[in-house]
Amino acid sequence: MSLISLVDVRKDFGIRTLFEGLSLHVGERERLGLIGPNGAGKSTLLRVLAGLEPPGAGERRVLPQARIVLVSQEPEMDPQRTVLEQVFAESGEKMQLLRRYTEVSDALAHAHACGDDDTALLSELGQLNGRMDQSQAWDLEQQIREVLQRLGISDTQRQVGDLSGGYRKRLALAAALVADPDVLLLDEPTNHLDADCIQWLQGYLQRFRGSLVLITHDRYVLDQVTNRIVEVDRGEARSYSGNYAYFLARKAEEEAAEAASEAKLRSVLRRELEWLKRGPKARSTKQKARIQRIEAMQETPKRQAKGQLSLATNQRRLGKRAIEADDLAIWATEEARSSGAQPLLKAFSYDFSPEDRVGIIGPNGSGKSTLLDLIAGRRQGHSGRLELGSTVKLAYFDQHSHQVLEDTDAAGRQRKVIDVVKEAASSVELEGSTLSASQLLERFLFPPAQQHQPVSKLSGGERRRLHLCRLLIEAPNVLLLDEPTNDLDVQTLTVLEDFLEDFRGCVVVVSHDRYFLDRTVDRLFCFENGQLQRFEGNYSSYLERQSAASASPTPPAAPAATTNASANASATANKSPAAAKTRRRSFKETRELEQLDTQLPQWEQRRGELEALLAAGGSDYAALEALSAELSDLLERIARGEERWLELSELAG
């Protein structure tokens, strides 16, 4: 059963069509991931699903009793409310039940005092009790405080009007999670969250009982949470049953098939045109049919080619010295330093090499962006020394790039997209050729028609991509990236990661995006109590070390009398795994392993059948939804079965 359906929907803004003839159905307990390039209309599509944006054409159908909550990138709130009041107000049915329960209880007490008939009130109170038990509304305040704490919000009495944009986004997310709606629509929920919060949110969404439609650049969240991917691109919405990894595999197969089909068509058309040019003397019926076939092939509509983002740039040579830090210390403010408060950073010394790939991690507010501001020269350290090499050409891609891209120039005229790049350079030497500003913008997926549009018309992600183009045209050799994944689409992130692999210079990244860190850095500095702890490896390796450390805490020191016994126990514990006795499988576990050996191939066969049926398509949406749901359940069953098979197979038989 579909909770929300869009049928043949069209949406455009003036001359720009976002999507046309789009049909999308959100079923019960579905987990949809919306992906596509910036500006394709993903956020607009969420607003249409939520009913906040009317479709230009087509129809939106909603199950009447369905409760729908949207968390947008810029949520609207009452600035006069406190944090706690705001979440209470947005708690949906739970808050309504609590209010009604209070009203009925008060009315019942009044009826008792007056001797009035209270039969109807008692009946309603009983119904409210049941509904509140079902929705867990009794402990609403406890739920709210727990979710706020998990999302890094501790001061529940602050006024909403005093909060930053990132803080407000987290507050809106907390309210949506507490409301527990039937359909949850999330637009980039991981922005402004640190890694621990993202990990918790991922687990929460995996357990969420309702339907979910999610836009996110965090590919780990996308892969772990979704069971259907909808790609919005060039006015179309194409659906793939499965998670993000499955989508990538299918997408690669589709693009290979399309390329082979296009190559075959060109080959046939070339041969037919050569025949036509020879000018056969006799025009038989067969030859006329052949000519008509050639004309039909020439007129065959081709799907618009997908733009390929290119981040290759001209680069300056970087000498042996990049960035040298010696005994650096930073306080949040000069007043904090004078008052004896703890510094954000103390005693930091490190020489960044010309080819360093360094990630800076830590909780929100720990000082990560402050450190990048210090390196970029936007603020001064309170003690210590920081020097840049004489050949350094630094580019800083910070979180506030929208401030660089002002909508108007000094004279008050609207800035166009191409003006932003021309202000840096009218042309650039790139890969042995000279590119104009317009040609460079095309490489960054800004077609000529869009280059002369006002900057004010760009989406948040497009503005970030334009700012990136502006920075890279200046040929830097040291890159400072502060949360670069915010508002960038997955395609741009993938190309940016490839670019950083080939970049001949120093890269320093502050990010909470685990996938991005895994691909781009080989050394981490983690903020811990005002100090940067160094770790060699990427983020996944860091998490493994943290998990191992928490799983095996250091035992307390043994008394002197038991030193020998402790030493013997330690020696036994440190024996190699081969020397330790391996647990044998029980009879029940052996039977379970045998069953999995039989079932897993059968499940894989059924998976192939379902994928073939879905690929064939059809107009019966109910049947397609049933197939999609079956495939989703089957994929989960296969994953659990494979994990259990590995666990059992490692035991001795």
Side-chain angles (χ1 to χ4, degrees):
M1 178 176 61
S2 292
L3 301 179
I4 310 175
S5 292
L6 302 182
V7 182
D8 203 24
V9 165
R10 171 188 173 90
K11 189 66 183 177
D12 56 48
F13 293 102
I15 61 172
R16 184 182 180 189
T17 300
L18 292 179
F19 37 82
E20 186 172 9
L22 183 148
S23 294
L24 181 62
H25 305 273
V26 182
E28 289 182 308
R29 289 193 59 79
E30 276 204 299
R31 304 284 195 275
L32 272 67
L34 291 185
I35 66 172
N38 292 131
K42 301 186 297 296
S43 296
T44 302
L45 180 55
L46 272 194
R47 291 181 61 81
V48 173
L49 285 169
L52 301 178
E53 189 84 38
E59 186 179 1
R60 173 182 179 266
R61 303 170 187 165
V62 184
L63 200 67
Q65 66 269 28
R67 294 174 295 116
I68 303 168
V69 172
L70 167 66
V71 180
S72 64
Q73 295 196 46
E74 296 181 359
E76 297 180 1
M77 300 180 183
D78 185 345
Q80 302 302 319
R81 288 174 177 161
T82 66
V83 166
L84 197 59
E85 290 170 347
Q86 179 64 37
V87 183
F88 264 117
E90 300 295 330
S91 296
E93 185 186 27
K94 293 181 181 180
M95 190 61 195
Q96 294 171 14
L97 287 171
L98 277 175
R99 285 174 177 164
R100 184 56 186 163
Y101 187 87
T102 302
E103 292 171 357
V104 173
S105 297
D106 291 345
L108 190 61
H110 181 72
H112 281 166
C114 299
D116 296 337
D117 182 16
D118 59 2
T119 306
L121 291 173
L122 283 171
S123 175
E124 184 178 359
L125 196 66
Q127 293 175 0
L128 286 171
N129 265 306
R131 292 174 62 189
M132 291 179 69
D133 286 338
Q134 185 178 6
S135 63
Q136 298 179 333
W138 295 110
D139 54 350
L140 179 58
E141 183 170 351
Q142 181 183 344
Q143 294 174 35
I144 290 174
R145 291 187 182 278
E146 181 180 350
V147 171
L148 288 173
Q149 182 182 11
R150 290 287 193 170
L151 294 177
I153 302 174
S154 55
D155 189 354
T156 59
Q157 297 306 313
R158 285 184 65 184
Q159 281 198 320
V160 171
D162 297 333
L163 304 179
S164 65
Y167 215 93
R168 289 160 66 95
K169 176 69 179 290
R170 281 185 278 161
L171 182 57
L173 179 59
L177 297 182
V178 171
D180 196 26
D182 298 309
V183 183
L184 183 58
L185 310 175
L186 300 180
D187 193 352
E188 295 291 358
T190 61
N191 283 0
H192 312 293
L193 296 183
D194 61 32
D196 290 339
C197 291
I198 293 173
Q199 189 72 30
W200 174 83
L201 177 63
Q202 177 180 305
Y204 191 101
L205 295 179
Q206 287 174 318
R207 299 186 302 272
F208 178 60
R209 298 174 298 176
S211 298
L212 174 69
V213 184
L214 171 71
I215 298 173
T216 181
H217 60 262
D218 191 308
R219 284 150 289 179
Y220 282 148
V221 170
L222 201 60
D223 194 53
Q224 295 296 317
V225 171
T226 62
N227 57 24
R228 180 151 68 102
I229 298 294
V230 177
E231 183 185 32
V232 183
D233 189 17
R234 291 164 286 169
E236 298 178 1
R238 307 179 73 181
S239 182
Y240 300 81
S241 293
N243 61 5
Y244 182 64
Y246 174 77
F247 159 77
L248 290 178
R250 284 294 306 275
K251 193 66 178 173
E253 293 171 2
E254 284 184 3
E255 291 182 351
E258 287 179 7
S261 177
E262 182 68 23
K264 183 178 180 181
L265 178 64
R266 287 197 301 267
S267 177
V268 173
L269 185 57
R270 184 174 61 253
R271 291 198 304 270
E272 294 294 295
L273 288 173
E274 288 174 356
W275 173 85
L276 192 61
K277 289 177 182 177
R278 289 199 294 268
K281 296 178 181 179
R283 294 292 182 183
S284 66
T285 303
K286 183 176 181 181
Q287 291 166 336
K288 288 180 181 178
R290 190 171 183 178
I291 293 171
Q292 291 172 354
R293 187 170 73 246
I294 295 172
E295 292 173 348
M297 290 171 66
Q298 289 176 314
E299 294 173 0
T300 300
K302 298 181 178 61
R303 192 163 182 257
Q304 182 185 354
K306 187 174 182 177
Q308 295 297 318
L309 177 64
S310 172
L311 294 186
T313 64
N314 189 29
Q315 289 184 214
R316 303 170 189 261
R317 177 186 170 276
L318 180 59
K320 294 182 179 180
R321 293 177 66 239
I323 308 166
E324 294 181 358
D326 182 26
D327 202 29
L328 276 182
I330 315 169
W331 276 261
T333 62
E334 185 61 42
E335 291 76 10
R337 181 191 182 191
S338 303
S339 65
Q342 286 292 321
L344 295 174
L345 176 65
K346 58 185 176 183
F348 175 60
S349 298
Y350 181 72
D351 290 345
F352 293 83
S353 72
E355 295 185 357
D356 247 341
R357 297 291 187 274
V358 176
I360 312 291
I361 62 175
N364 286 328
S366 58
K368 303 183 298 296
S369 297
T370 303
L371 177 58
L372 289 195
D373 285 344
L374 185 66
I375 296 174
R378 295 186 179 180
R379 65 175 297 164
Q380 298 296 316
H382 292 98
S383 65
R385 178 181 63 88
L386 178 73
E387 292 184 4
L388 304 184
S390 59
T391 59
V392 166
K393 173 63 177 177
L394 188 143
Y396 187 9
F397 190 54
D398 66 3
Q399 297 187 54
H400 310 290
S401 54
H402 63 280
Q403 296 177 357
V404 178
L405 303 181
E406 298 292 344
D407 294 341
T408 57
D409 59 19
R413 297 185 297 265
Q414 281 197 329
R415 293 173 82 197
K416 299 177 181 177
V417 171
I418 196 168
D419 295 336
V420 174
V421 177
K422 281 185 174 180
E423 289 168 5
S426 58
S427 64
V428 62
E429 292 291 330
L430 185 60
E431 298 173 344
S433 60
T434 302
L435 293 181
S436 66
S438 178
Q439 290 171 321
L440 184 67
L441 279 169
E442 286 193 64
R443 289 198 172 207
F444 279 74
L445 301 185
F446 290 102
Q450 193 178 12
Q451 293 173 15
H452 294 276
Q453 289 182 356
V455 171
S456 59
K457 298 293 184 182
L458 298 180
S459 69
E462 287 173 319
R463 294 170 78 98
R464 292 275 283 171
R465 181 160 20 103
L466 179 59
H467 180 51
L468 189 60
C469 176
R470 163 75 181 252
L471 288 177
L472 295 184
I473 198 175
E474 298 174 355
N477 50 29
V478 172
L479 283 177
L480 306 181
L481 306 175
D482 190 3
E483 297 294 353
T485 63
N486 285 358
D487 299 320
L488 290 183
D489 59 73
V490 172
Q491 179 194 4
T492 304
L493 289 177
T494 302
V495 179
L496 177 58
E497 289 158 359
D498 292 338
F499 167 77
L500 293 177
E501 284 184 4
D502 299 327
F503 180 72
R504 297 186 301 276
C506 178
V507 180
V508 185
V509 180
V510 167
S511 180
H512 297 309
D513 190 312
R514 301 160 294 173
Y515 191 101
F516 188 82
L517 287 172
D518 278 349
R519 281 209 58 189
T520 56
V521 307
D522 48 32
R523 179 175 296 118
L524 291 172
F525 282 103
C526 179
F527 271 89
E528 294 181 6
N529 300 320
Q531 291 189 318
L532 282 177
Q533 304 296 334
R534 179 172 168 176
F535 175 79
E536 298 297 325
N538 62 14
Y539 189 75
S540 289
S541 301
Y542 170 79
L543 282 183
E544 289 175 5
R545 188 194 70 173
Q546 295 294 95
S547 298
S550 60
S552 54
T554 304
T562 60
T563 299
N564 292 335
S566 299
N568 293 335
S570 177
T572 302
N574 290 329
K575 284 183 179 179
S576 66
K581 184 177 180 180
T582 305
R583 185 174 75 82
R584 300 180 65 85
R585 279 195 302 272
S586 66
F587 175 80
K588 182 179 179 181
E589 289 171 335
T590 301
R591 291 292 302 275
E592 183 182 359
L593 182 61
E594 291 171 353
Q595 289 176 352
L596 286 172
D597 281 331
T598 303
Q599 291 171 337
L600 283 171
Q602 295 173 348
W603 294 342
E604 288 291 349
Q605 181 181 354
R606 180 56 180 164
R607 171 183 175 176
E609 293 170 357
L610 290 172
E611 290 172 351
L613 290 170
L614 286 167
S619 57
D620 189 346
Y621 293 125
L624 290 175
E625 286 182 8
L627 290 172
S628 175
E630 183 182 352
L631 178 60
S632 174
D633 292 339
L634 184 60
L635 290 172
E636 292 181 5
R637 197 186 319 152
I638 290 173
R640 291 196 303 268
E642 289 175 341
E643 184 176 349
R644 181 60 175 161
W645 186 92
L646 288 171
E647 180 182 344
L648 293 174
S649 63
E650 289 175 357
L651 300 177

